[in-house]
Amino acid sequence: MRVGVLTGGGDCPGLNAVIRAVVRKGIEVHGWEFTGFRNGWQGPITGESKPLGLADVEDILTRGGTILRSSRTNPYQVDGGVEKIRTVLEDQGVDALIAIGGEDTLGVAKRLTDDGIGVVGVPKTIDNDLNATDYTFGFDTAVSIATEAIDRLHTTAESHHRALVIEVMGRHAGWIALHSGLAGGASVILMPERHFSVDQVVQWVERRFEKEYAPIIVVAEGALPEGGEEKLLTGEKDAFGHVRLGGIGNWLADEISARTGKESRAVVLGHVQRGGTPTAYDRVLATRFGLHAVDAVADGDFGVMVALKGTDIVRVKLSEATAELKTVPLERYEEAEVFFG
Ligand code: F6P
């Protein structure tokens, strides 16, 4: 049996931990061989691949990024993409695929399974917005990095009597903003699921200053002011139709300065949240996902994604996992509101 492995979409700490677990268990327990496809779905389309053996996965548990590299290639947007994948898999003797990715990569995995190609999915995204799993790996690392940044911003904001806005990732879901904001004691948290009133933010900021304390505002990149529009870095769309968000932090900092007369600055955390070594939690979750993905392949159970439910790893249908995004329920946001202002 030969199994292909690929990583697609935005990278995320823990990808290498999954690859290591898959290859170790696949070889040591089942005696399988592995092909690592390069650059997400681009690999199975072009045939760019390399054999993956035990030596290739030595020392990668703690390494960030992905040894297989990644891309946002969508085979369904490439002329004859699916047929090319079929041919490459046949030519390279690959019997099944393990695809590690978020909603886009796994959406493709679902369609390929419907088209007769056996795929098992492993959920990754720092945004934690994949449905049907309690957590995705990478999220805990991103929250830890954002929390450390907030801790550091508190002390410098206080010294200068400034309001500091920190923009974190989260295109459609505010999980990173909510968790890092709660962990870091933010004065205001703003997320895509709840459009915010700038007047209300200004009130919270002023109340914070009255308490002789410098306000820290955590804003997800996809957060929107009431009646406003998403702030875009460019109008360009990727192969899955996503625009590049960015700019809400600087816009809000300017609004706060103009309306309160207090100095306000923005920090955009960006890809720092995705780089570097995973936390212990993410290493364990990624490893367990990898081990269970191998079990699914061994059972011939394709069209599924491994998922975390409580403390158990279970299998869910890829169709369920990709049907909709897991956004932050409003009652979870409201829990945090007591700390605002
Ligand atoms: O999909 C995860 C994510 O981290 C989003 O929050 C963010 O909008 C996007 O990736 C940015 O990724 P890139 O800069 O690689 O396009």
Side-chain angles (χ1 to χ4, degrees):
M1 170 101 162
R2 177 173 282 277
V3 178
V5 185
L6 64 90
T7 53
D11 72 342
C12 165
L15 288 167
N16 287 326
V18 180
I19 298 168
R20 167 183 174 267
V22 163
V23 171
R24 287 281 294 272
K25 184 164 184 178
I27 292 178
E28 287 174 5
V29 175
H30 299 285
W32 295 343
E33 291 178 310
F34 284 94
T35 296
F37 284 107
R38 291 180 64 85
N39 304 321
W41 288 116
Q42 195 183 304
I45 294 174
T46 60
E48 257 181 294
S49 67
K50 58 175 185 180
L52 276 182
L54 292 176
D56 300 297
V57 298
E58 255 173 32
D59 295 331
I60 65 166
L61 170 62
T62 61
R63 201 187 307 167
T66 160
I67 59 165
L68 296 175
R69 309 293 184 252
S70 190
S71 76
R72 295 188 191 275
T73 307
N74 181 352
Y76 288 90
Q77 295 289 325
V78 174
D79 223 12
V82 177
E83 283 324 302
K84 285 180 181 157
I85 292 180
R86 230 187 277 282
T87 308
V88 165
L89 296 187
E90 238 176 72
D91 289 352
Q92 301 198 10
V94 174
D95 306 295
L97 283 173
I98 294 179
I100 312 166
E103 45 149 348
D104 298 326
T105 306
L106 297 184
V108 170
K110 190 232 163 246
R111 290 181 69 180
L112 287 176
T113 308
D114 295 344
D115 287 336
I117 295 171
V119 191
V120 168
V122 176
K124 74 83 229 190
T125 160
I126 65 162
D127 293 353
N128 195 39
D129 59 359
L130 252 173
N131 207 22
T133 182
D134 289 353
Y135 286 102
T136 49
F137 66 86
F139 172 65
D140 185 66
T141 307
V143 169
S144 302
I145 293 166
T147 303
E148 194 197 331
I150 295 169
D151 292 347
R152 290 174 186 279
L153 292 176
H154 274 296
T155 59
T156 173
E158 269 165 49
S159 308
H160 291 270
H161 313 281
R162 281 176 183 149
L164 289 181
V165 178
I166 171 167
E167 181 182 311
V168 297
M169 280 190 172
R171 220 193 309 247
H172 306 292
W175 291 108
I176 297 177
L178 180 68
H179 280 228
S180 63
L182 271 176
S187 331
V188 180
I189 300 170
L190 305 171
M191 53 174 212
E193 293 86 340
R194 163 77 81 86
H195 295 186
F196 64 88
S197 141
V198 182
D199 289 342
Q200 172 70 83
V201 171
V202 165
Q203 261 180 37
W204 283 324
V205 164
E206 280 175 334
R207 201 160 83 197
R208 201 68 181 164
F209 273 125
E210 279 160 22
K211 294 181 193 162
E212 292 290 313
Y213 207 88
I216 301 290
I217 301 99
V218 181
V219 59
E221 61 184 347
L224 279 181
E226 282 167 359
E229 285 182 357
E230 278 177 333
K231 305 279 175 247
L232 306 183
L233 282 182
T234 71
E236 265 172 50
K237 291 189 176 169
D238 68 18
F240 291 93
H242 302 300
V243 287
R244 276 182 68 197
L245 295 178
I248 186 72
N250 279 301
W251 178 84
L252 187 60
D254 289 347
E255 285 289 312
I256 291 171
S257 294
R259 295 192 192 201
T260 63
K262 302 268 191 196
E263 205 182 342
S264 179
R265 304 271 180 92
V267 174
V268 180
L269 214 48
H271 295 88
V272 171
Q273 293 158 97
R274 289 207 325 226
T277 192
T279 58
Y281 179 90
D282 278 338
R283 292 178 202 181
V284 172
L285 182 59
T287 298
R288 293 185 72 207
F289 277 159
L291 298 175
H292 283 259
V294 166
D295 295 346
V297 173
D299 292 346
D301 194 4
F302 299 116
V304 298
M305 177 186 92
V306 290
L308 181 71
K309 286 278 157 79
T311 54
D312 293 333
I313 308 289
V314 298
R315 293 176 202 165
V316 296
K317 291 270 167 229
L318 277 169
S319 50
E320 187 195 339
T322 55
E324 55 180 357
L325 283 178
K326 184 185 68 189
T327 51
V328 177
L330 286 185
E331 60 273 19
R332 285 289 296 277
Y333 181 74
E334 283 160 8
E335 275 176 9
E337 276 179 338
V338 68
F339 299 108
F340 296 180

